[in-house]
Amino acid sequence: MARGRKPSPDAKREKIELRVNREQKAALQEAAKRAGLPTATWIIALALEAARTQPNGADA
């Protein structure tokens, strides 16, 4: 019986859901398209950059 591939430590297993309205979704999709990226990839890149540059102890 085949056991399949060993899971990669970098595998994406976590999920964050983000609720937006139609106008917000369209704006995000258009911005991602201008950047030449899939929408989720573009959002993740921006969110991670913001997380890295936010000063420690800053209020959310």
Side-chain angles (χ1 to χ4, degrees), residues 1-5:
M1 178 164 98
R3 296 194 311 167
R5 221 181 268 190

Side-chain angles (χ1 to χ4, degrees), residues 5-59:
R5 221 181 268 190
K6 183 177 180 182
S8 166
D10 294 330
K12 293 181 180 180
R13 293 186 198 105
E14 301 297 324
K15 182 176 181 178
I16 295 175
E17 291 189 35
L18 179 66
R19 295 176 61 98
V20 296
N21 64 34
R22 282 187 187 151
E23 292 79 20
Q24 292 168 329
K25 181 179 177 182
L28 293 171
Q29 288 175 320
E30 183 57 35
K33 184 177 179 181
R34 286 192 307 268
L37 295 170
T39 305
T41 302
W42 181 80
I43 291 170
I44 291 168
L46 261 60
L48 289 172
E49 179 62 25
R52 289 183 190 109
T53 59
Q54 185 177 27
N56 288 337
D59 292 338

